Amino acid sequence: MKNSKTVLIDKNPGRNSQTFGVARELGTSVDLIHEPSIGVVGNKGDSQCYVGVQPKVETIHQALLARIGTESDKMSMRLVQPEFTIATSDGIRNGTKEMRYSLIGREVTNDSLCEHLSASGLEGVIAVVACDKPPVGTLAAILEHNRPAVIMSDGSIRPGTDSATGEPIDIITSYQLAGSDDEGMKRRIALEACPGFGSCGGMFTYNTMQTFIGVVGMQPLHMVSPASQDDRRLTEFPDQLIDCLDNMVAKDIKPRDIVTNESIRNAIIVAMAVGGSTNVMLHAPEIARAAGYSNFSADVMSAEEFNHLSTNVVPVIVDARPFGRFSMVDIDARGGIQVFVKDLLDAGLLNGDVLTCTGETLAEQLARLDPPAPDGDVIHSVAKPYKPTGGLRVLGGNLSPEFSAVLKLAGVEGGLENNIFAGRAKVFDGEQKLLEMLDGNPDHFEDGDMIVVRYEGPVGGPGMPEMLDSTSRITALCRERGIVVGLMTDGRFSGGSVGLVIGHVGPEAAVGGPIGLIEQGDDILVDLNDNTLSCKQLEDDAVMASRKAAWDAAVAANGGTHPSVGDADTRLLNRMRCSAVSAVHGAGMHPGGQLWVNEPRKADKTGFTPSNRHR
């Protein structure tokens, strides 16, 4: 179709000369160089997550080439070359210092895509996204640019098969063997766990966020669950994506028309219902920020409402890894994520009137897809759930005054008697010291311990590394010995982590948060009856003041930073240290450490009354 946008013809031959050259090289008409531009972008990196991205980007690019032209039935747009963002591999880097760059990959993706979209003036973009941080950075940049765009998941990796047992296995299986002495088994499982390519296949952070992006409206729902190697991603989906984008361009449907406080609420509720990754509580505020909401708690969802929904309203409705048995390819075989999204909508838990990238409302898109009912094995219904309460909980208390601490309740395997865990603190300044202890003296850990890992927050790491290596070793240790050992940190966790693990504790130690004042043997209490994380000793004002004075003295003697913070030995790490906002705001890099919002807007509803929402 013809694009109706009026474009001022550029008379400068210097600018035109390269644009003519690109048109010739790409095989498009030189008469289209002054039309609005359109293109494809993809995420790239050094792991299997990204191997399938380039072929899909190239296929979509070729499909666009066939759809663009000067004829009346073609899209009258200027095609630009595909571009790729970069990020590191979480799976390869966990447990290493390089893991500090993982969350920063979200920020780098945002920056590089912002450069491409804004400097190129793209009026339409299709994004192929992989792994878990780059998709969020991609969506954030798209929201900031706010021109028509649609996203497609590259897709999950298919599970491996244990050749000895015939059981399905994945990368988490491998990580949980780290403490084993059977080197032959560890090598065999590592070789068999990740066949083919694609992003992590369980309901870890990647699939939590792909489901989120679909529900928030920026990805067609049926494109989320198929595997990366599914033929539909190369044969059917490219033209469907172009149809969506063509419609958005024609009707001037922009990302901020789709990603609203109500659609973000929908996506958070679905994240609870799938027992999703704790990382959603970093990524949702960042997406909301890019969509123009300056106060996540007031504009989108407060901690009080979040816990009310997770405790009383929203159950877990999938039996999915890491806490269950199945992967995303099993969900796809049972009808895809649209099955449980429709079930949640039918149960009255979602707002079906929000707009999506297909041009339909969420309810209309689901009606057209007409998914089957939950099978009751892989996908359960709200009426007969897999677990009765939602998979996530946020905690306050004297260790988390920002109400930022997050617990993946769906992954807890024991230790919460009457919703309470009371333990003894074993303190480690940095994950590397914990890993050394787990390697060298695992008997150091006893039933009822609460491991405290600090100085790993956005500022302290810097970069807020996730701790899949540590949590996997602790999980294996607890299962082997029949004990419960918790872990709390101002860092974060992989979506594949299970156990009594609490991340995002804030304020973080590096900026003087209470987690930095805990001492060895302190009494730590996790109470889900009032959603608090507390240290008994810090309830005494005199103890708190004395320990804070000692902390301040250590900082002053070290030139203004605590000696336990990680090295910021590159410009990128230093930028994170100097500009990171706290976890409760998304742990992103923002000017002067302030939460930057482009074109802030107010929410439709700012109050929370349980009686008028999800009765």
Side-chain angles (χ1 to χ4, degrees):
M1 58 161 284
K2 286 281 186 182
N3 188 290
S4 60
K5 180 166 180 160
T6 301
V7 178
L8 179 66
I9 301 300
D10 192 335
K11 300 297 186 181
N12 190 304
R15 287 191 287 269
N16 288 348
S17 58
Q18 284 201 344
T19 316
F20 281 136
V22 170
R24 286 193 299 268
E25 290 302 315
L26 295 183
T28 57
S29 170
V30 294
D31 293 331
L32 294 173
I33 70 164
H34 297 300
E35 294 299 319
S37 56
I38 193 170
V40 192
V41 299
N43 300 150
K44 292 295 290 292
D46 63 342
S47 74
Q48 284 169 294
C49 305
Y50 304 102
V51 171
V53 171
Q54 186 164 334
K56 296 177 183 70
V57 167
E58 291 171 351
T59 299
I60 296 167
H61 178 80
Q62 289 303 312
L64 271 173
L65 185 60
R67 299 275 292 268
I68 285 172
T70 56
E71 299 90 340
S72 60
D73 62 339
K74 296 290 185 76
M75 298 172 70
S76 181
M77 302 192 79
R78 176 173 72 90
L79 185 62
V80 303
Q81 302 173 74
E83 290 287 350
F84 295 91
T85 67
I86 60 168
T88 192
S89 164
D90 291 357
I92 296 172
R93 303 292 179 256
N94 253 285
T96 74
K97 286 188 175 182
E98 287 74 27
M99 192 63 202
R100 296 176 297 169
Y101 288 95
S102 170
L103 184 59
I104 292 175
R106 183 188 73 182
E107 309 300 293
V108 172
T109 296
N110 189 328
D111 287 350
S112 61
L113 191 54
C114 176
E115 160 76 11
H116 177 58
L117 295 176
S118 299
S120 302
L122 258 69
E123 283 295 313
V125 65
I126 297 171
V128 182
V129 295
C131 204
D132 57 340
K133 311 310 178 301
V136 181
T138 297
L139 178 53
I142 283 171
L143 284 163
E144 290 169 3
H145 186 60
N146 203 33
R147 299 306 304 158
V150 61
I151 292 173
M152 182 183 76
S153 160
D154 175 68
S156 299
I157 192 170
R158 290 175 171 136
T161 302
D162 185 334
S163 60
T165 67
E167 294 294 316
I169 56 176
D170 58 21
I171 190 171
I172 303 305
T173 314
S174 299
Y175 263 100
Q176 290 178 352
L177 293 175
S180 170
D181 294 328
D182 190 337
E183 297 299 326
M185 179 180 64
K186 287 195 290 187
R187 176 176 170 81
R188 176 174 61 79
I189 294 296
L191 284 167
E192 296 172 352
C194 296
F197 54 80
S199 297
C200 287
M203 196 55 74
F204 313 151
T205 307
Y206 172 72
N207 278 314
T208 299
M209 294 315 302
Q210 289 313 305
T211 301
F212 189 105
I213 292 170
V215 174
V216 86
M218 288 301 295
Q219 175 170 199
L221 291 170
H222 69 289
M223 295 186 187
V224 173
S225 58
S228 179
Q229 293 180 282
D230 191 300
D231 287 343
R232 288 173 288 178
R233 295 199 177 279
L234 293 172
T235 58
E236 298 178 18
F237 295 170
D239 275 316
Q240 293 173 10
L241 289 164
I242 296 170
D243 288 342
C244 288
L245 187 61
D246 190 6
N247 182 62
M248 292 177 75
V249 170
K251 296 180 178 178
D252 196 28
I253 298 173
K254 300 180 290 295
R256 287 190 176 198
D257 299 326
I258 294 169
V259 182
T260 65
N261 66 308
E262 287 295 331
S263 67
I264 297 171
R265 287 176 53 81
N266 280 347
I268 292 170
I269 288 168
V270 174
M272 292 179 193
V274 298
S277 168
T278 53
N279 284 307
V280 73
M281 299 310 294
L282 293 176
H283 297 326
E286 172 61 9
I287 290 168
R289 188 259 337 145
Y293 296 105
S294 59
N295 187 325
F296 185 83
S297 179
D299 296 340
V300 181
M301 184 179 289
S302 68
E304 179 191 11
E305 183 178 7
F306 184 96
N307 285 333
H308 165 74
L309 292 171
S310 189
T311 304
N312 304 302
V313 179
V314 182
V316 174
I317 56 175
V318 293
D319 180 359
R321 297 271 290 158
F323 54 84
R325 298 174 291 164
F326 298 106
S327 67
M328 187 58 95
V329 297
D330 299 305
I331 290 173
D332 185 57
R334 303 314 195 276
I337 74 162
Q338 54 267 39
V339 172
F340 58 72
V341 177
K342 185 173 188 301
D343 187 71
L344 288 161
L345 179 67
D346 291 345
L349 300 183
L350 303 179
N351 180 345
D353 296 331
V354 293
L355 184 64
T356 73
C357 63
T358 66
E360 305 158 304
T361 65
L362 179 64
E364 290 168 343
Q365 185 184 169
L366 287 165
R368 175 176 54 79
L369 291 173
D370 191 23
D375 66 294
D377 184 25
V378 178
I379 304 173
H380 297 249
S381 66
V382 172
K384 295 181 179 179
Y386 178 65
K387 293 189 176 187
T389 59
L392 297 167
R393 198 74 62 87
V394 293
L395 308 176
N398 68 10
L399 290 176
S400 181
E402 289 185 335
F403 235 103
S404 61
V406 58
L407 166 69
K408 184 173 180 176
L409 189 57
V412 174
E413 298 185 344
L416 287 171
E417 300 300 327
N418 299 315
N419 286 325
I420 291 174
F421 171 86
R424 303 168 303 278
K426 285 194 172 170
V427 181
F428 297 87
D429 286 356
E431 187 193 17
Q432 291 302 313
K433 291 182 179 178
L434 171 59
L435 286 170
E436 289 168 10
M437 184 65 75
L438 286 165
D439 264 338
N441 185 19
D443 291 338
H444 175 74
F445 301 100
E446 301 172 333
D447 189 34
D449 284 346
M450 173 60 81
I451 297 169
V452 179
V453 180
R454 58 197 185 188
Y455 299 102
E456 294 287 17
V459 172
M464 206 179 187
E466 69 183 31
M467 301 181 187
L468 179 59
D469 195 350
S470 296
T471 60
S472 297
R473 290 169 188 258
I474 293 165
T475 296
L477 181 70
C478 289
R479 289 174 179 174
E480 178 185 336
R481 293 169 51 186
I483 62 175
V484 174
V485 175
L487 190 158
M488 57 175 282
T489 179
D490 51 10
R492 60 189 180 85
F493 300 118
S494 163
S497 294
V498 293
L500 183 59
V501 293
I502 300 168
H504 313 180
V505 177
E508 62 176 291
V511 300
I515 189 174
L517 308 182
I518 298 172
E519 293 185 356
Q520 203 80 0
D522 277 358
D523 299 305
I524 306 298
L525 182 71
V526 181
D527 189 343
L528 298 190
N529 296 302
D530 61 3
N531 296 310
T532 55
L533 174 66
S534 304
C535 173
K536 180 179 179 181
Q537 284 71 19
L538 296 182
E539 293 172 358
D540 185 318
D541 291 343
V543 171
M544 171 75 88
S546 173
R547 292 186 184 182
K548 184 61 166 62
W551 187 91
D552 288 340
V555 169
N558 195 53
T561 60
H562 195 277
S564 293
V565 301
D567 293 334
D569 49 5
T570 65
R571 186 171 75 166
L572 192 53
L573 290 175
N574 187 62
R575 180 183 165 203
M576 186 71 175
R577 169 148 297 157
C578 295
S579 64
V581 295
S582 67
V584 76
H585 295 303
M589 295 194 290
H590 299 289
Q594 300 299 310
L595 188 62
W596 172 77
V597 178
N598 181 24
E599 299 177 19
R601 57 188 186 177
K602 291 295 183 183
D604 299 326
K605 300 180 179 71
T606 57
F608 162 51
T609 306
S611 62
N612 65 20
R613 276 198 192 274
H614 309 298
R615 298 185 186 188

